[in-house]
């Protein structure tokens, strides 16, 4: 990573760890003084309605509202555009530091921040995380591609593989990179938000795509069962020991590192693996985060911390609620405090060698220059 990028990542980590330490040490009495009765809280979701991040936000919002003091109403506001930059910039410019404005940060928003996109005006390192969500990612093909499983990817030859994407440095990077490492010649159609992809996939305009678990189960699994879509591989999931294995939501399909080793005959290693690790952590292990704006008073931060902890506990105790959560945010519990900070740190902590390799890869493959 460049010197400036390293400094940005360091500032982000220090801010997140500091904010999360405050969450852990916040006074329960101070939090009890906060009252959102009659308030309308706006949660900016920087993707189109119907996208997987939007589904996650719409599941979490009413549950969080019920556990906040005064039980306010949380309103979802979709501000899509520019790979989540539009929503991030609006939040930076307009969010009120009184607990009535939140943002759900996506991998695209984090990547654009890390890559110093000149359109980015938001200061992610100053925002305060209150919750994090990890979520698996599943890659699948249209039956029209003519393959039956992931192994068929290497036998496609010159057959066009078309994928709708927003940008090479957005969330799509998490799938474009592994497909390229596998040797699949993908032709991306850039400029499309995730909410626009599904109709085109159904029409056969795109023959390979991906989704987080919630959208996959709701929109794609019926196509799989009907024989018009084929699951190929997941990006994997990191267990408590730090090992990457199969995604527990789709245990019957291989994960990327497993598939790569099978196809290539050796594990992914070197700077390619270092680049992959950072991109994977961003797209899977820190795929969603809900944050308050900088300057939010500590008693408000404490009130949110208490509400998130209660929500996490309630989901784990209630089998019906836990099943619903699995459908919309994945089977893994939401994280708060220091755990949420660690996940965000892993998503932006590229090694110098990995970042240099990724920077060169983006230039070679898509003529995209990053700092």
């Amino acid at each position: 990573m460049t010197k400036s990028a390293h400094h940005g990542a360091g500032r982000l980590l220090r801010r997140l760890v500091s904010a999360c330490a405050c969450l852990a040490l916040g006074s329960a009495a101070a939090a009890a003084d906060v009252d959102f009765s009659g308030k309308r809280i706006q949660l900016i979701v920087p993707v189109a309605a119907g996208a997987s991040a939007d589904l996650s936000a719409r599941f979490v919002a009413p549950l969080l509202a019920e556990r906040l003091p005064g039980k306010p109403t949380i309103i979802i506001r979709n501000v899509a555009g520019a790979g989540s930059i539009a929503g991030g910039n609006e939040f930076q410019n307009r969010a009120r530091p009184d607990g009535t404005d939140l943002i759900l940060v996506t991998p695209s928003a984090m990547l654009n921040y890390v890559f110093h996109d000149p359109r980015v005006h938001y200061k992610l390192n100053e925002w305060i995380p209150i919750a994090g969500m990890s979520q698996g990612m599943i890659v699948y093909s249209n039956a029209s591609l003519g393959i039956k499983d992931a192994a068929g990817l290497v036998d496609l030859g010159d057959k066009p593989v078309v994928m709708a994407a927003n940008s090479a440095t957005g969330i799509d990077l998490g799938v474009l990179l592994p497909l390229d490492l596998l040797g699949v010649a993908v032709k991306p159609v850039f400029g499309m938000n995730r909410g626009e992809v599904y109709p085109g996939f159904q029409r056969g305009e795109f023959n390979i795509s991906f989704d987080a678990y919630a959208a996959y189960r709701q929109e794609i699994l019926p196509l799989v069962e009907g024989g018009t879509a084929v699951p190929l591989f997941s990006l994997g999931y990191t267990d408590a020991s730090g090992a990457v294995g199969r995604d527990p939501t789709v245990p019957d399909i291989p994960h990327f590192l497993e598939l790569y080793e099978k196809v290539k005959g050796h594990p992914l290693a070197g700077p390619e693996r270092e680049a992959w690790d950072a991109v994977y952590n961003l797209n899977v292990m820190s795929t969603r985060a809900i944050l308050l704006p900088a300057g939010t008073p500590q008693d408000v931060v404490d009130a949110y911390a208490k509400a998130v902890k209660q929500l996490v506990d309630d989901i784990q105790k209630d089998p019906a609620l836990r099943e619903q959560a699995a459908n919309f945010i994945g089977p893994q519990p939401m994280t708060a405090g220091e755990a949420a900070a660690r996940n965000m740190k892993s998503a932006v902590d590229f090694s110098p060698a990995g970042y240099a390799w990724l920077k060169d890869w983006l230039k070679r493959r898509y003529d995209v220059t990053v700092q």
Side-chain angles (χ1 to χ4, degrees), residues 37-109:
S37 296
K39 297 288 182 67
R40 290 165 64 90
I41 295 172
Q42 177 176 263
L43 171 58
I44 285 183
V45 178
V47 299
S52 60
D54 179 63
L55 296 175
S56 298
R58 292 179 186 277
F59 172 76
V60 170
L63 297 174
L64 179 60
E66 289 176 5
R67 290 158 178 81
L68 284 169
K71 299 186 177 180
T73 299
I74 298 181
I75 304 298
I76 303 292
R77 184 160 178 265
N78 296 93
V79 184
S84 295
I85 293 175
N89 285 345
E90 178 169 324
F91 185 76
Q92 178 68 37
N93 294 332
R94 300 184 181 180
R96 297 157 296 185
D98 60 1
T100 59
D101 280 298
L102 301 167
I103 187 169
L104 184 141
V105 172
T106 64
S108 292

Side-chain angles (χ1 to χ4, degrees), residues 70-141:
K71 299 186 177 180
T73 299
I74 298 181
I75 304 298
I76 303 292
R77 184 160 178 265
N78 296 93
V79 184
S84 295
I85 293 175
N89 285 345
E90 178 169 324
F91 185 76
Q92 178 68 37
N93 294 332
R94 300 184 181 180
R96 297 157 296 185
D98 60 1
T100 59
D101 280 298
L102 301 167
I103 187 169
L104 184 141
V105 172
T106 64
S108 292
M110 287 184 274
L111 273 168
N112 288 323
Y113 174 81
V114 169
F115 287 146
H116 303 287
D117 189 300
R119 299 169 296 172
V120 169
H121 302 302
Y122 52 84
K123 299 177 181 179
L124 182 57
N125 60 314
E126 296 182 359
W127 298 346
I128 303 168
I130 60 167
M133 291 166 267
S134 58
Q135 190 163 234
M137 197 73 72
I138 300 121
V139 180
Y140 53 88
S141 70

Side-chain angles (χ1 to χ4, degrees), residues 4-364:
S4 62
H6 268 306
H7 288 169
R11 289 193 302 271
L12 172 60
L13 175 60
R14 288 192 296 271
R15 175 59 181 165
L16 294 178
V17 171
S18 175
C20 292
C22 290
L23 289 179
L25 298 174
S27 164
D33 292 337
V34 175
D35 187 0
F36 290 112
S37 296
K39 297 288 182 67
R40 290 165 64 90
I41 295 172
Q42 177 176 263
L43 171 58
I44 285 183
V45 178
V47 299
S52 60
D54 179 63
L55 296 175
S56 298
R58 292 179 186 277
F59 172 76
V60 170
L63 297 174
L64 179 60
E66 289 176 5
R67 290 158 178 81
L68 284 169
K71 299 186 177 180
T73 299
I74 298 181
I75 304 298
I76 303 292
R77 184 160 178 265
N78 296 93
V79 184
S84 295
I85 293 175
N89 285 345
E90 178 169 324
F91 185 76
Q92 178 68 37
N93 294 332
R94 300 184 181 180
R96 297 157 296 185
D98 60 1
T100 59
D101 280 298
L102 301 167
I103 187 169
L104 184 141
V105 172
T106 64
S108 292
M110 287 184 274
L111 273 168
N112 288 323
Y113 174 81
V114 169
F115 287 146
H116 303 287
D117 189 300
R119 299 169 296 172
V120 169
H121 302 302
Y122 52 84
K123 299 177 181 179
L124 182 57
N125 60 314
E126 296 182 359
W127 298 346
I128 303 168
I130 60 167
M133 291 166 267
S134 58
Q135 190 163 234
M137 197 73 72
I138 300 121
V139 180
Y140 53 88
S141 70
N142 195 297
S144 64
L145 191 57
I147 60 177
K148 297 181 179 180
D149 53 32
L153 284 170
V154 299
D155 300 321
L156 287 171
D158 296 330
K159 190 166 185 177
V161 180
V162 184
M163 187 181 101
N166 187 286
S167 71
T169 55
I171 187 175
D172 315 283
L173 174 61
V175 175
L176 290 171
L177 177 59
L179 286 172
D180 187 74
L181 289 170
L182 288 169
V184 181
V186 179
K187 179 182 177 182
V189 178
F190 288 123
M192 302 191 68
N193 291 311
R194 296 306 305 163
E196 302 173 296
V197 174
Y198 180 67
F201 181 83
Q202 279 194 307
R203 293 191 296 266
E205 297 168 4
F206 317 117
N207 52 24
I208 198 164
S209 192
F210 66 95
D211 269 308
Y213 177 69
Y216 176 82
R217 177 168 178 170
Q218 180 175 335
E219 305 288 358
I220 305 305
L221 194 55
L223 301 183
V224 172
E225 294 169 346
T228 60
V230 179
L232 299 177
F233 64 92
S234 75
L235 298 191
Y237 182 76
T238 303
D239 64 21
S241 72
V244 179
R246 290 196 173 191
D247 187 326
T249 63
V250 283
D252 296 332
I253 65 174
H255 63 87
F256 167 68
L257 292 177
E258 173 188 356
L259 179 61
Y260 180 93
E261 186 168 356
K262 179 179 180 180
V263 168
K264 301 294 185 178
H266 57 82
L268 182 64
E272 296 98 324
R273 174 61 190 266
E274 294 173 9
W276 155 256
D277 283 342
V279 172
Y280 156 75
N281 280 321
L282 191 150
N283 281 276
V284 174
M285 300 312 297
S286 187
T287 190
R288 307 280 184 265
I290 299 177
L291 303 99
L292 288 160
T296 301
Q298 189 59 51
D299 58 346
V300 174
V301 175
D302 293 340
Y304 271 99
K306 183 177 180 181
V308 172
K309 183 180 184 304
Q310 183 181 344
L311 176 55
V312 172
D313 291 345
D314 290 346
I315 289 174
Q316 293 309 301
K317 294 175 182 177
D318 185 335
L321 186 58
R322 188 166 64 247
E323 182 177 355
Q324 292 175 17
N327 293 337
F328 291 98
I329 62 173
Q332 298 80 24
M334 287 194 301
T335 57
E338 188 175 348
R342 284 197 305 266
N343 286 342
M344 287 195 72
K345 188 260 183 182
S346 71
V348 298
D349 190 19
F350 285 80
S351 71
Y355 189 82
W357 184 92
L358 183 62
K359 180 179 177 179
D360 177 69
W361 179 83
L362 285 167
K363 182 64 177 178
R364 286 186 291 106

